[in-house]
């Protein structure tokens, strides 16, 4: 049974406060550890916040020992109604820097409210004074975050972290999505157009393209998800990466399959060719935009591969 806040004794309130400060300090330490490699300046900011929480805990612990002795009641925030349930975002790897900062803001706001309520519940003057001071300090932490950022996030540090963020974005989102889009767009060309020229029937071509696209999407999703867990490469969670790759693979294949829903074969074929050209142009642009590949080189590589597969499909279907 969860206890109501109004039923807590002063001893229990102090025990929860000490436990909260210890937990918050450990979380900030986890944030600092998780971000140190890619966001060193932000990691230093969280390390400084961890030290602040340690100081709060020590002040509370000193007063607790003075009033109640060394034994802390085994009561935590989870045992009391009213606290927000925390999602363990600090366990995520890789950890998003915005996620960490947002969680820190929530933690500081909740701590401030806790101390305000705790101070209103106690009749001991020194304890009330300490709790009010801690409430003020927690309120200032949100503003202090700006000071921490100004101190640690210099223009050079911001530039370095921006480049790091760009690299992580490319590893975790652009590369898996691009790999899927390329595979879906190019690998399904041969079966779709082979079926189209073999049968001269739009519906048959559509069914073959749909099966090829979905099958390729499922295959690529599992292949990407099982390739590595992201812990060493920094490529992110395998399930998310696999889902993105699979979805983009299926999307790439379905794009030039949908025109074959048109019953007139010639119109469907002409529209499918236009869609293929758009897909190859989009892939070339993404490679140029995010992977720093010269636009002409990217276009030549992608278009050459696409054209070869396209010709292969038509040649087989026409034989």
């Amino acid at each position: 049974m969860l206890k109501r806040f109004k039923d807590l004794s002063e001893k229990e309130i102090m025990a929860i406060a000490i436990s909260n400060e210890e937990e918050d300090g450990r979380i900030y330490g986890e944030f600092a550890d998780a971000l140190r490699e890619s966001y060193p300046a932000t990691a230093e900011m969280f390390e400084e916040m961890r030290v602040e929480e340690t100081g709060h805990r020590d002040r509370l612990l000193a007063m607790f020992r003075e009033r109640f002795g060394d034994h802390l009641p085994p009561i935590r925030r989870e045992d009391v109604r009213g606290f927000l349930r925390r999602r363990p975002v600090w366990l995520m790897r890789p950890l998003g820097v915005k996620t960490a900062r947002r969680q820190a803001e929530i933690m500081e706001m909740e701590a401030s409210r806790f101390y305000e309520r705790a101070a209103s519940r106690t009749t001991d003057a020194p304890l009330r004074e300490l709790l009010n001071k801690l409430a003020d300090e927690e309120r200032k932490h949100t503003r202090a975050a700006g000071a921490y950022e100004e101190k640690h996030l210099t223009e050079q540090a911001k530039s370095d972290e921006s480049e790091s963020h760009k690299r992580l974005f490319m590893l975790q989102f652009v590369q898996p999505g691009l790999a899927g889009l390329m595979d879906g767009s190019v690998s399904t060309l041969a079966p779709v157009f082979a079926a189209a020229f073999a049968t001269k029937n739009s519906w048959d071509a559509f069914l073959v393209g749909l099966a090829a696209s979905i099958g390729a999407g499922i295959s690529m999703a599992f292949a990407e998800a099982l390739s590595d867990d992201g812990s060493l490469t920094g490529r992110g969670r395998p399930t998310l990466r696999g889902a993105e790759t699979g979805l983009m693979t299926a999307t790439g294949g379905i794009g030039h399959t949908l025109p074959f829903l048109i019953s007139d074969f010639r119109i469907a074929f002409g529209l499918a060719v236009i869609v293929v050209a758009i897909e190859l142009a989009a892939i070339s642009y993404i490679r140029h935009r995010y992977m720093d590949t010269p636009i002409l080189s990217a276009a030549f590589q992608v278009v050459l591969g696409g054209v070869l597969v396209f010709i292969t499909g038509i040649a087989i279907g026409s034989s």
Side-chain angles (χ1 to χ4, degrees):
M1 294 291 292
L2 297 180
K3 296 196 70 170
R4 295 180 299 179
F5 188 84
K6 67 179 184 178
D7 295 331
L8 296 175
S9 66
E10 290 184 352
K11 185 176 183 179
E12 289 173 329
I13 288 174
M14 290 198 70
I16 292 172
I18 293 168
S19 175
N20 285 350
E21 294 293 352
E22 288 179 343
E23 181 178 315
D24 289 356
R26 287 197 299 270
I27 291 172
Y28 291 145
E30 281 295 305
F31 285 165
D33 183 63
L35 298 172
R36 187 164 284 115
E37 183 176 349
S38 300
Y39 303 97
T42 300
E44 285 301 313
M45 182 184 79
F46 279 118
E47 181 62 27
E48 192 164 328
M49 293 175 73
R50 183 195 67 78
V51 173
E52 288 267 353
E53 300 303 305
T54 300
H56 292 177
R57 180 206 61 191
D58 291 344
R59 289 156 65 187
L60 286 162
L61 195 54
M63 180 167 286
F64 182 91
R65 284 173 173 159
E66 181 182 328
R67 293 195 60 198
F68 304 110
D70 291 330
H71 176 69
L72 280 169
I75 185 169
R76 305 162 302 163
R77 52 183 286 120
E78 292 86 354
D79 304 321
V80 181
R81 293 178 185 173
F83 281 103
L84 294 174
R85 185 184 178 119
R86 290 177 173 174
R87 292 176 55 248
V89 296
W90 49 89
L91 299 180
M92 294 169 55
R93 295 295 186 277
L95 175 67
V97 65
K98 291 183 179 179
T99 299
R101 288 175 178 169
R102 185 163 55 248
Q103 180 65 33
E105 289 176 4
I106 295 172
M107 289 164 57
E108 298 297 338
M109 178 184 67
E110 188 179 40
S112 174
R113 290 179 177 175
F114 168 75
Y115 285 128
E116 287 175 355
R117 290 191 63 193
S120 69
R121 291 270 294 110
T122 183
T123 57
D124 182 79
L127 176 57
R128 189 185 187 95
E129 181 182 8
L130 174 60
L131 293 174
N132 278 321
K133 284 182 178 179
L134 291 175
D136 289 338
E137 289 177 19
E138 296 291 355
R139 276 195 298 271
K140 291 175 182 176
H141 272 187
T142 303
R143 296 191 294 272
Y148 289 146
E149 289 189 17
E150 185 177 343
K151 174 181 177 182
H152 295 290
L153 299 183
T154 62
E155 288 304 317
Q156 182 60 45
K158 288 180 180 178
S159 176
D160 293 342
E161 290 197 355
S162 177
E163 285 299 314
S164 179
H165 185 75
K166 181 180 177 181
R167 288 194 299 271
L168 288 175
F169 178 75
M170 186 184 71
L171 279 173
Q172 296 168 16
F173 296 101
V174 175
Q175 282 189 353
L178 180 61
L181 186 61
M182 288 181 64
D183 184 83
S185 297
V186 176
S187 68
T188 58
L189 285 176
V192 171
F193 287 98
F197 271 80
T199 64
K200 296 294 191 299
N201 185 287
S202 293
W203 182 248
D204 290 342
F206 173 76
L207 291 179
V208 171
L210 186 65
S213 301
I214 295 176
I218 294 172
S219 175
M220 283 292 287
F222 276 95
E224 182 63 34
L226 296 175
S227 62
D228 69 77
D229 62 4
S231 60
L232 295 178
T233 60
R235 297 179 67 214
R237 287 176 289 180
T239 51
L240 180 61
R241 200 175 64 242
E244 180 189 1
T245 303
L247 180 62
M248 292 304 293
T249 300
T251 300
I254 288 175
H256 50 256
T257 298
L258 288 176
F260 288 101
L261 285 172
I262 300 173
S263 59
D264 188 307
F265 177 76
R266 291 184 178 180
I267 296 177
F269 174 76
L271 186 56
V273 171
I274 294 174
V275 172
V276 169
I278 294 173
E279 289 172 347
L280 297 180
I283 293 171
S284 300
Y285 174 76
I286 294 171
R287 284 174 57 84
H288 168 67
R289 173 69 175 79
Y290 291 102
M291 303 184 72
D292 298 325
T293 305
I295 187 64
L296 292 178
S297 176
F300 176 77
Q301 295 167 6
V302 173
V303 172
L304 177 63
V307 168
L308 290 175
V309 176
F310 179 77
I311 292 173
T312 300
I314 293 178
I316 294 175
S318 301
S319 61

